Amino acid sequence: MRDDNCLFCKIVGGDIPSNKLYEDELCYAFYDIAPQAPTHFLVIPKTHISGCNGVTEENSAVVAHIFEVIPRIAAAEGLAGGYRVVSNCGADAGQTVPHLHFHILGGRAMGWPPG
Ligand code: 5GP
Ligand code: ZN
């Protein structure tokens, strides 16, 4: 279901332009507008889910699908050295867009723990 007030729903719908990497019936992948690593893209469900806390028994299949798609896109992007998958949930984690999304960051070594 689309939320007309949601930035990422608008990106999925093409109302806001994005640099698309991949799309299928369930998910959409595009480069982050403010990359935090040499490669930084987002994979999102096409349906509106508010974030990790919005995942339910009814809609969780799309999350499994996204995790099947991520390695394929990462390989196509040349991330043979590895990559990080991040989903910020809520204010403490720094979530700014309330539509479930997975950041894929790669192309450099990363520290742990995150700040
Ligand atoms: P969050 O902060 O919620 O974890 O991640 C939201 C991400 O969306 C941020 O990394 C931010 O740079 C990215 N972002 C915000 N607005 C846009 C946009 O209009 N286009 C694209 N491609 N990325 C966006
Ligand atoms: Zn949305």
Side-chain angles (χ1 to χ4, degrees):
M1 203 81 80
R2 176 183 164 128
D3 175 341
D4 285 334
N5 296 314
C6 170
L7 175 68
F8 285 176
C9 284
K10 289 178 185 166
I11 284 180
V12 168
D15 305 317
I16 292 176
S18 63
N19 285 326
K20 180 172 87 172
L21 269 162
Y22 175 85
E23 179 179 16
D24 63 28
E25 67 283 357
L26 294 176
C27 71
Y28 189 89
F30 56 107
Y31 288 110
D32 197 289
I33 204 168
Q36 302 301 311
T39 300
H40 183 179
F41 61 90
L42 304 170
V43 188
I44 69 176
K46 284 189 165 175
T47 190
H48 182 82
I49 298 173
S50 61
C52 291
N53 284 344
V55 177
T56 65
E57 226 175 304
E58 285 69 43
N59 66 20
S60 63
V62 72
V63 178
H65 177 71
I66 285 172
F67 273 83
E68 282 175 39
V69 163
I70 286 170
R72 285 193 258 143
I73 308 176
E77 286 294 290
L79 300 180
Y83 55 89
R84 183 168 290 173
V85 182
V86 174
S87 188
N88 296 317
C89 183
D92 279 0
Q95 182 179 8
T96 59
V97 180
H99 179 128
L100 181 65
H101 52 281
F102 296 95
H103 297 259
I104 287 76
L105 301 134
R108 64 167 170 81
M110 275 167 249
W112 190 263

